Amino acid sequence: MSVKKKPLVVVTRKLPDSIETRMRELFDARINLDDTPMSADQIAEAARTADVLVPTVTDHITADIVNQPDCKLRLIANFGNGVDNIDVEAAHARGITVTNTPKVLTEDTADMTMALILAVPRRMIEGASILTEGKPWPGWSPTWMLGHRIGGKRLGIIGMGRIGQAVARRARAFGLQIHYHNRRPVAPKIAEELGATYWESLDQMLARMDILSVNCPHTPATYHLLSARRLKLIRKDAYIVNTARGEVTDEDTLIKLIEGGEIGGAGLDVYEHEPAVNPKLVRLAKAGKVTLLPHMGSATIEGRVEMGEKVIINIRTFLDAHKPPDRVLPSML
C-alpha cells in the first residue's frame, strides 16, 4: 500500500515551536531553524520546489518570483495580516492562491497603539531613561519632566477598520474624543458606540487633532498618505502614533517637522525603510522628541500562535480542494 506524499511547505522564518511541530506532522515542512532571513534568490528557489510558501511580512514575493517558468507554487500562505509584501495580482494571474492571517492581531496592536498614545505626551520613555542610563535625578519637583494629559484631547484615527475601532474603544475609556477618517463612514451603530466623528476630508481632520493614530494598511493608495503637504497641516503641539506601516508617512518630512518644532512629537513602531531606522529618528528619541519601538505591535505569544494556526487552516483547506477562509484577491486590495 503506497503512502500519499505530503506536500512540501517552505517556511521562511522561525515560527512558534507548537506551530512548527504541527506543520511537520501535517506536511513535508522545511523549517528555518536559525531564523536567518532568506535572500531573494533563496525565496525564488523555494518557489521552484515547494507546493506552498509561508512567507512573513518582511519577505518580498515579487512578480519576478511567481512568474518564473518553473515556479511550482500553488499557495502563498502569508504569516501576517498585511499582504503588501506580495504581488497578489501577479500571483493571481499565475493561478497561485494567496492567504493571510486577519482578525488575529487586532487587540495586540490596539494595546500597543494605546501604549504609545500614553507614552509620547507623558514622556514615559524619556523619564525611564533617567533611571536606567545613570542620569542625575534630583527627586520630585513641581516643574520637572512635565508632559501633557490626554483626557479631553482629540484623537484622529486614520483608518477605522478593526484595529482603528479597537484603538477607539481604548482611547474613549481614557477620556479622548474620537474622530476618524476612512474611505467610508463606519456603521451608525459603531459610530454611536464609539462616539466617533467622521471626517470625509483627511486634510481638515489633520489640522484639528491633538493626537493622530495611523491604523490603515499599506497599499498603493496609502503610500505617503501623510505626505509632506499633509504633515504640514498638523498642529505644532500635536503627536503622531504609527503602528501600521511606515510607508504611509513621508518619514523624511516628519523628521524635519519634529526637528523644527513644527510637530510636537511621534510614537513609532514601524518605519519607512525597515529594518533600517533613520539615524535622525534615533537622535530625536535620545532628545525625548519621539518614542521608538522595533515593530512590536503584534508581538505577543498568543498572537503569533493564533497566526500560525490560521496559516495551517488555510493550507489544509486549500489542499483539501476547498476555498481557504482567508483568501486574498486583487479586488480586495
Side-chain angles (χ1 to χ4, degrees):
M1 180 178 177
S2 61
V3 178
K4 186 177 179 180
K5 184 180 179 182
K6 293 181 178 180
L8 175 59
V9 176
V10 173
V11 184
T12 64
R13 299 296 296 269
K14 181 168 178 54
L15 303 183
D17 288 346
S18 62
I19 298 302
E20 291 186 340
T21 300
R22 188 61 177 147
M23 283 189 169
R24 286 184 180 275
E25 292 170 349
L26 295 170
F27 319 119
D28 177 10
R30 188 181 299 169
I31 305 297
N32 187 343
L33 294 175
D34 65 2
D35 203 30
T36 302
M38 293 174 67
S39 67
D41 287 342
Q42 289 173 321
I43 292 175
E45 171 61 23
R48 293 193 295 268
T49 57
D51 301 290
V52 179
L53 182 68
V54 181
T56 67
V57 295
T58 59
D59 301 306
H60 297 287
I61 316 304
T62 63
D64 288 341
I65 288 175
V66 300
N67 285 329
Q68 297 176 96
D70 50 354
C71 178
K72 189 183 174 184
L73 288 179
R74 295 188 286 148
L75 171 67
I76 301 171
N78 200 41
F79 185 88
N81 184 34
V83 289
D84 48 304
N85 59 310
I86 301 170
D87 192 323
V88 177
E89 188 170 349
H92 182 70
R94 186 66 187 261
I96 301 171
T97 299
V98 177
T99 62
N100 64 344
T101 58
K103 303 178 184 179
V104 171
L105 306 176
T106 299
E107 303 303 323
D108 297 330
T109 305
D111 285 344
M112 190 63 81
T113 303
M114 196 66 222
L116 285 171
I117 289 172
L118 291 166
V120 177
R122 292 303 306 272
R123 304 171 68 180
M124 291 172 65
I125 303 300
E126 186 183 358
S129 70
I130 299 294
L131 303 179
T132 59
E133 296 180 10
K135 300 175 183 178
W137 179 43
W140 183 87
S141 166
T143 57
W144 188 67
M145 285 295 292
L146 298 182
H148 293 278
R149 69 169 55 142
I150 65 167
K153 298 295 193 297
R154 293 184 176 91
L155 171 66
I157 297 174
I158 302 169
M160 199 62 150
R162 288 185 297 269
I163 294 174
Q165 291 174 32
V167 170
R169 291 187 181 93
R170 287 158 173 76
R172 193 179 186 202
F174 281 87
L176 284 153
Q177 298 176 36
I178 308 302
H179 298 251
Y180 74 98
H181 169 78
N182 206 41
R183 287 182 295 178
R184 60 185 66 87
V186 298
K189 182 178 180 181
I190 294 174
E192 182 179 358
E193 174 201 346
L194 300 175
T197 299
Y198 175 64
W199 292 79
E200 183 177 1
S201 168
L202 176 58
D203 289 6
Q204 291 183 18
M205 186 181 83
L206 292 176
R208 292 165 172 80
M209 297 297 109
D210 302 298
I211 304 169
L212 292 154
S213 178
V214 180
N215 298 109
C216 61
H218 172 223
T219 67
T222 63
Y223 175 76
H224 279 194
L225 180 67
L226 292 184
S227 61
R229 180 189 66 79
R230 282 187 167 136
L231 287 169
K232 292 174 183 176
L233 299 174
I234 296 171
R235 292 168 43 180
K236 291 185 177 182
D237 57 351
Y239 299 89
I240 296 176
V241 169
N242 189 356
T243 57
R245 286 290 187 269
E247 294 89 343
V248 176
T249 302
D250 181 338
E251 195 172 272
D252 288 339
T253 299
L254 176 63
I255 290 169
K256 290 176 183 177
L257 292 174
I258 295 174
E259 286 176 332
E262 298 300 310
I263 289 180
L268 306 176
D269 186 44
V270 290
Y271 307 91
E272 188 169 354
H273 305 290
E274 286 189 32
V277 178
N278 193 313
K280 293 180 180 179
L281 277 176
V282 177
R283 287 199 292 272
L284 285 171
K286 290 179 179 179
K289 296 291 186 180
V290 302
T291 296
L292 305 180
L293 295 175
H295 205 144
M296 295 169 55
S298 61
T300 67
I301 294 170
E302 296 86 350
R304 294 289 191 254
V305 170
E306 288 180 23
M307 288 170 70
E309 290 171 346
K310 271 188 170 286
V311 168
I312 290 172
I313 290 170
N314 283 319
I315 296 173
R316 293 194 70 182
T317 306
F318 175 82
L319 294 175
D320 288 340
H322 299 294
K323 185 173 74 172
D326 302 310
R327 186 183 183 192
V328 178
L329 298 173
S331 60
M332 300 166 60
L333 303 178

